Amino acid sequence: MNVNSLYEKPVLFALAAVVVISVGTLVTTFIPLFLPSTQPVSPLFTPYTAVETEGRDIYIREGCNNCHTQTVRPLRAEVARYGDYSRAEESAWDRPFLWGSRRTGPDLARVGGKYPDAWHYRHMANPQAMFGKSNMPAYAWLAKAKLDTSLTARKVKVLGFGYDEAEVARQLAAFRRTVTAPTWPSAQERSRVTPAALRGELTELDALVAYLQKLGRDLMAAQRAAAGPGTAEAAEKKNPYAGNRTAGEEGEKIFEENCKVCHGEKGAGGFGPKLATTKHKFGGTDADLFTTVSGGRPGGMPSFLQPLGKDRIWKVITYIRRLESESR
Amino acid sequence: MANESEKMYTGDNIVQREMRMTNGTRNDSIVRGFALSSVFWLLIGLVIGLWLAAEMVYPSLNLAPWLAFGRLRVVHTNGLVYGFTLAGIFACSFYMLEKLTRTPLAFPGLAKAQLWLFNIAIALAALSLFAGMNTSKEYAELEWPLDIVVVVLWVMFAVNVMGTLVKRREKQMYVSLWFLVACVVTVAVVYILNNLAIPVSLTKSYSVYAGVNDANVQWWFGHNAVASVFTFPILAMFYYFLPKSTGLPIYSHRLSIIAFWSLVFGYLWTGAHHLMLTPVPEWIQTVALAFSLFLIAPSWASVVNGFYTMNGNWDKMKSNYLVKFFILGITFYGLQTIQGPTQAIRALSAHLHYTEYIPGHVHMGTMGWVTMIITASMYFMMAKISGREVHSVKLANIHFWLILVGQLLFTVTLWIAGIVQGAMWKAVNPDGSLKYTFLDSVAAMYPFWTVRLVGGLLYFAGIAVFAYNLYMTSRPKPGTKWSAAAAARSQAA
Ligand code: HEM
Ligand code: HEM
């Protein structure tokens, strides 16, 4: 057969084209679908709750993935900025995946538990009020929309999360009781952004915040458990800059860039506790303060060891000491 | 090289024979309909692009939920990929099909129905994306009912392409037709497989793939959507309209054969270059990297073919207003296919992935290569259809310079921005702590974003000139069959 005749037989030509595109498809895409090593599964990573599932769907609806990624790459600076790199197992329940392709905003794969809920309510309602230079849209209207849960049970079933309709109803009711209780730690900020009529209901923002708080949590919990109590790195004992004026001034700048959003102007308090005081929630010795700032604390104090480094943490502590003395 | 058999399949004689045919095609109104639809969606998509670019500088422009950046970006990309580019492909394909087969379309009624269904589908797509009904998978955001409509549209198109090819009177299929067939089969395969989902309601579904597999399938699709929408059919136009508008045959047909098969083979291996350093298995990433570098060769075969076609006739760059569109277009294609493969290299991906550099890459391809070729092809085609010369060569030249300068300002700015941004993300102090907060890197981008907005405005002005010029060219000339048909219609009314 003359090779040229391929260019005279359109149907044969189309079939040849299908064969040619199939080779790469089979090797790089189709076969991996059937290899368990492509998407390994681990019991350490749990499916989303009913509320988190709804929150994830709002994240998808609003296209948050167009500006935020959810994959920390195994690069030194990236791990320092966001936290440990992403594992394949973490995505096992994700349909669709939400890794993203642009980082107009920061990565979110490790944001769960990093800040208190109140931080998210305030931030989502008006990002520029917290960070003047941010270009994130304000999503205040999410707090003004009642969460539609009519499809939740169906969604959970399609996604194969392994709990039934009754469990969905129970989770939704329990979550509603939690966030609408006046004693809930983030109640004040939630009420501020939520219209009175919806304060007793679940809003879209409630669900979105719940979803954000789930991101990366399973991995961090697993790592804490593996490390066991008492093996956390031995804290530094003494501030090398104690009483150093210039270090305190540098510390002030670092404080304004990193701490002020939560601890307020001059440490007057906000989402985070007041720092212009001699009574600190997690202890007031140099070692205590260093442990708190470097390692973070449950309830929304992020860890600053990686992004700031020891030196700058001591400088911030020097500044906190100045605030203490000014508060006396 | 120019022996008889080579000549036979250079398509040279095909283009010659076809030249003797009368102006226009049997189905001018369908071609014209798709061309004008394409321009309409182009203008809409660009206005949205400008709004997006402005939102990055002035976030207060996120005025309403449907105008918020996250939703609007999807309308921009889908509007331009599916509205503008696909309609442009349909217009040029139907035209080239009739010309290169010397046969009228096999099913003109079907093509007419496709035109209507297409515009309805794009309008519904835009509305649904504004409303936030989307799957989140890039370029595959449409929810499942619209996916079905897209598949129906594609089948309608494929039936006409294959039907006309089977009925053709010209023995050999010219290279443009091969690329057209490759586009038809590749889009069908990648679109359907990536969009497989389980519905929970009319407006919501979940991908059948989970996590890493979903990512891998998505970017296998994503890269080949680029291949089969922004590459194969645009090359088809290039290989047809460059010789047509210059009277010069393509330099080497043997080169186009090699280029064709290796391009079509290579593209499907490279999806994971969008996923470098993510949890996707490392071997898939490495294979994607290797094939990305390999793609430079077949891509440049077309570039070389284009340049050598002009050999000895470079004065046509000046004397023929269309040539500079095609030559600049293929040049940007050449730069694009060098830049793309370098982005796949792990060390460079580590620096550039997720940064402004990537929209820089994207827009050199779309604003430089794709729109240069499509708009020039449309001038040529529309003049033939309406049996007149282009309305104004002067306006076409203004259009050319505005989109060229606008595009360069846009893309070069973003490349620099991306390199700066990547460097700020990476910068560490001697003790390993970070030099800049994320917000520092955002603050550093504002000047770049402002320049990008200016570049976008210049480009938009160029496209507005084009739209006017094309519309004026498309008006029927008295005494042609098209104007007779128009007159008959207005008499009937
Ligand atoms: C006036 C001209 C244009 C402006 C101002 C504009 C603006 C934008 C903006 C602001 C983005 C978002 C970038 C980001 O997230 O950082 C974007 C993305 C995009 N645009 Fe455009 N655009 C224009 C022309 C075009 C054209 C002509 C096409 C296609 C034919 C196109 C296709 C795309 C695509 C595919 C993306 C997604 C890129 C990615 O995922 O990296 N744009 N555009
Ligand atoms: C040999 C050819 C090409 C190769 C190997 C290539 C490679 C790449 C790579 C590696 C990326 C991902 C960058 C990242 O996210 O880090 C990318 C993105 C992209 N390229 Fe290319 N490119 C090629 C040609 C083209 C052409 C001709 C176009 C036409 C417009 C194009 C349009 C795009 C688009 C739209 C994206 C953005 C995808 C997204 O993230 O949404 N590329 N390319």
Side-chain angles (χ1 to χ4, degrees):
Chain A
M1 186 179 104
N2 182 350
V3 213
N4 289 346
S5 65
L6 185 58
Y7 307 100
E8 293 165 9
K9 298 198 169 61
V11 177
L12 192 66
F13 185 92
L15 289 177
V18 171
V19 171
V20 168
I21 65 170
S22 300
V23 187
T25 302
L26 277 175
V27 176
T28 63
T29 314
F30 196 70
I31 292 173
L33 281 177
F34 301 97
L35 302 178
S37 57
T38 312
Q39 176 56 76
V41 181
S42 155
L44 293 178
F45 303 100
T46 54
Y48 299 96
T49 64
V51 180
E52 289 159 2
T53 303
E54 287 299 344
R56 193 170 196 269
D57 283 345
I58 289 162
Y59 187 96
I60 292 173
R61 186 186 74 195
E62 299 310 328
C64 310
N65 54 296
N66 287 310
C67 290
H68 292 282
T69 54
Q70 288 186 22
T71 26
V72 180
R73 296 174 294 173
L75 301 170
R76 195 168 53 136
E78 202 151 312
V79 169
R81 187 178 302 281
Y82 300 114
D84 210 349
Y85 65 88
S86 294
R87 315 292 206 270
E89 289 85 347
E90 291 180 74
S91 296
W93 297 103
D94 289 356
R95 288 170 52 194
F97 80 115
L98 287 175
W99 296 352
S101 66
R102 270 289 282 128
R103 241 176 225 166
T104 303
D107 188 273
L108 298 178
R110 299 285 172 260
V111 82
K114 185 170 177 186
Y115 308 112
D117 293 318
W119 187 100
H120 288 292
Y121 282 100
R122 181 178 297 182
H123 179 248
M124 292 303 297
N126 187 352
Q128 283 73 33
M130 270 162 94
F131 306 104
K133 284 277 166 66
S134 168
N135 66 351
M136 173 164 151
Y139 286 97
W141 43 275
L142 290 179
K144 301 183 177 104
K146 186 168 180 287
L147 186 69
D148 176 5
T149 54
S150 58
L151 288 173
T152 315
R154 187 113 143 247
K155 290 178 175 179
V156 165
K157 193 164 160 230
V158 166
L159 291 167
F161 286 169
Y163 48 86
D164 60 10
E165 205 167 334
E167 172 63 15
V168 167
R170 195 200 61 75
Q171 286 183 8
L172 289 171
F175 188 79
R176 189 171 103 177
R177 270 196 308 280
T178 308
V179 296
T180 55
T183 51
W184 190 50
S186 299
Q188 196 188 346
E189 199 58 35
R190 180 179 184 273
S191 311
R192 202 179 61 78
V193 300
T194 312
L198 287 179
R199 279 182 204 148
E201 306 281 349
L202 282 181
T203 67
E204 294 189 341
L205 189 54
D206 293 328
L208 185 62
V209 172
Y211 169 65
L212 293 174
Q213 294 289 26
K214 156 87 174 175
L215 296 177
R217 278 199 112 145
D218 291 344
L219 180 75
M220 290 180 274
Q223 290 183 338
R224 265 199 304 278
T231 55
E233 89 241 40
E236 304 276 305
K237 288 273 154 30
K238 233 179 103 49
N239 186 353
Y241 295 113
N244 180 326
R245 221 190 141 80
T246 43
E249 274 159 17
E250 272 181 60
E252 181 169 3
K253 276 206 208 86
I254 300 167
F255 183 89
E256 299 208 323
E257 275 188 9
N258 296 281
C259 322
K260 198 176 77 179
V261 273
C262 288
H263 293 286
E265 194 75 48
K266 294 200 181 302
F271 309 125
K274 181 172 171 176
L275 298 180
T277 168
T278 47
K279 285 203 212 72
H280 294 294
K281 193 166 166 191
F282 299 104
T285 66
D286 277 0
D288 292 337
L289 285 176
F290 187 89
T291 308
T292 304
V293 179
S294 65
R297 295 286 185 184
M301 171 70 190
S303 151
F304 283 97
L305 182 61
Q306 295 257 29
L308 288 182
K310 284 179 192 167
D311 189 59
R312 282 192 281 176
I313 291 177
W314 281 126
K315 286 174 179 160
V316 167
I317 292 174
T318 314
Y319 174 64
I320 294 174
R321 294 294 187 211
R322 197 175 94 204
L323 294 177
E324 283 175 7
S325 59
E326 283 167 7
S327 74
R328 280 204 186 96
Chain B
M1 272 227 274
N3 57 39
E4 264 318 292
S5 82
E6 164 81 353
K7 194 129 191 269
M8 168 74 190
Y9 70 117
T10 56
D12 190 7
N13 48 354
I14 303 178
V15 175
Q16 290 296 326
R17 255 206 295 286
E18 185 260 278
M19 251 171 200
R20 291 196 293 271
M21 284 172 69
T22 48
N23 281 333
T25 58
R26 289 288 181 77
N27 292 291
D28 285 348
S29 64
I30 294 169
V31 173
R32 186 176 183 275
F34 272 116
L36 294 181
S37 309
S38 169
V39 177
F40 174 76
W41 295 115
L42 174 61
L43 291 171
I44 304 262
L46 291 183
V47 170
I48 294 173
L50 288 171
W51 195 269
L52 281 177
E55 278 180 344
M56 290 188 89
V57 189
Y58 309 106
S60 57
L61 289 173
N62 292 280
L63 290 167
W66 59 274
L67 272 178
F69 188 94
R71 291 197 198 174
L72 212 54
R73 191 186 197 273
V74 182
V75 186
H76 171 68
T77 56
N78 282 265
L80 288 168
V81 175
Y82 294 107
F84 158 62
T85 314
L86 274 195
I89 292 169
F90 292 148
C92 295
S93 301
F94 287 146
Y95 183 88
M96 290 189 290
L97 265 177
E98 290 211 351
K99 291 295 198 175
L100 288 170
T101 59
R102 294 190 292 133
T103 315
L105 280 188
F107 309 102
L110 190 66
K112 188 158 263 168
Q114 188 194 333
L115 174 61
W116 282 97
L117 184 61
F118 170 81
N119 280 302
I120 295 169
I122 298 296
L124 287 177
L127 291 178
S128 69
L129 295 175
F130 272 131
M133 298 162 190
N134 82 81
T135 64
S136 90
K137 293 173 74 166
E138 264 182 275
Y139 318 124
E141 282 98 344
L142 296 181
E143 269 299 352
W144 66 274
L146 281 167
D147 282 342
I148 293 174
V149 178
V150 171
V151 171
V152 169
L153 277 166
W154 204 254
V155 170
M156 294 166 101
F157 178 55
V159 165
N160 249 322
V161 171
M162 294 312 292
T164 312
L165 286 178
V166 168
K167 273 179 50 189
R168 80 195 181 290
R169 266 188 277 165
E170 183 64 57
K171 193 164 173 229
Q172 288 273 337
M173 294 194 293
Y174 180 63
V175 51
S176 296
L177 297 177
W178 317 343
F179 276 111
L180 195 55
V181 172
C183 160
V184 167
V185 301
T186 313
V187 168
V189 172
V190 300
Y191 194 87
I192 293 175
L193 290 183
N194 186 46
N195 277 296
L196 293 180
I198 301 175
V200 284
S201 75
L202 200 61
T203 59
K204 178 79 197 166
S205 63
Y206 292 115
S207 173
V208 297
Y209 315 102
V212 179
N213 279 312
D214 196 40
N216 195 35
V217 172
Q218 154 62 23
W219 284 111
W220 162 80
F221 158 84
H223 193 67
N224 291 292
V226 167
S228 45
V229 175
F230 287 155
T231 302
F232 301 161
I234 314 298
L235 282 172
M237 296 174 202
F238 177 78
Y239 275 113
Y240 176 78
F241 288 104
L242 178 70
K244 287 301 294 181
S245 56
T246 55
L248 304 169
I250 283 294
Y251 165 69
S252 161
H253 210 62
R254 192 153 290 159
L255 199 55
S256 13
I257 292 187
I258 299 169
F260 175 80
W261 290 110
S262 41
L263 195 72
V264 173
F265 177 76
Y267 252 104
L268 280 292
W269 297 76
T270 58
H273 64 209
H274 292 264
L275 297 165
M276 296 315 259
L277 299 167
T278 66
V280 161
E282 218 168 310
W283 69 269
I284 303 183
Q285 299 178 28
T286 304
V287 168
L289 161 54
F291 274 90
S292 300
L293 295 175
F294 162 79
L295 278 180
I296 297 177
S299 307
W300 269 75
S302 292
V303 179
V304 168
N305 228 343
F307 285 161
Y308 273 66
T309 297
M310 295 311 296
N311 224 355
N313 289 286
W314 284 103
D315 55 306
K316 285 195 195 288
M317 282 285 272
K318 265 191 154 161
S319 59
N320 181 330
Y321 78 104
L322 285 177
V323 172
K324 56 182 173 299
F325 284 94
F326 290 115
I327 293 302
L328 262 288
I330 199 77
T331 306
F332 286 123
Y333 175 69
L335 295 175
Q336 185 80 355
T337 52
I338 292 278
Q339 186 182 48
T342 58
Q343 288 166 182
I345 298 170
R346 274 200 184 77
L348 290 178
S349 179
H351 191 107
L352 300 172
H353 192 38
Y354 306 135
T355 69
E356 300 293 332
Y357 193 90
I358 307 307
H361 168 72
V362 172
H363 289 90
M364 173 166 64
T366 53
M367 299 163 88
W369 153 243
V370 176
T371 35
M372 283 275 179
I373 303 294
I374 293 188
T375 56
S377 303
M378 281 188 186
Y379 276 143
F380 180 89
M381 213 166 60
M382 205 57 102
K384 287 282 181 219
I385 287 178
S386 53
R388 59 163 74 201
E389 288 304 304
V390 65
H391 170 68
S392 162
V393 172
K394 196 165 157 208
L395 286 182
N397 286 335
I398 294 176
H399 149 208
F400 172 81
W401 287 107
L402 282 173
I403 66 171
L404 176 65
V405 173
Q407 181 260 124
L408 285 173
L409 198 60
F410 187 126
T411 54
V412 176
T413 304
L414 289 193
W415 299 335
I416 301 170
I419 293 168
V420 171
Q421 193 176 37
M424 290 182 81
W425 290 349
K426 232 165 66 166
V428 286
N429 295 309
D431 66 353
S433 61
L434 298 169
K435 247 196 178 107
Y436 302 102
T437 65
F438 190 85
L439 212 57
D440 291 337
S441 75
V442 175
M445 290 299 114
Y446 282 96
F448 296 107
W449 287 334
T450 308
V451 177
R452 185 255 302 275
L453 179 57
V454 174
L457 283 167
L458 287 178
Y459 176 89
F460 180 75
I463 293 295
V465 171
F466 159 72
Y468 171 78
N469 207 9
L470 190 77
Y471 177 72
M472 295 305 279
T473 307
S474 77
R475 288 176 322 155
K477 188 179 161 188
T480 58
K481 67 181 164 106
W482 166 248
S483 73
R489 257 204 312 277
S490 65
Q491 222 151 45

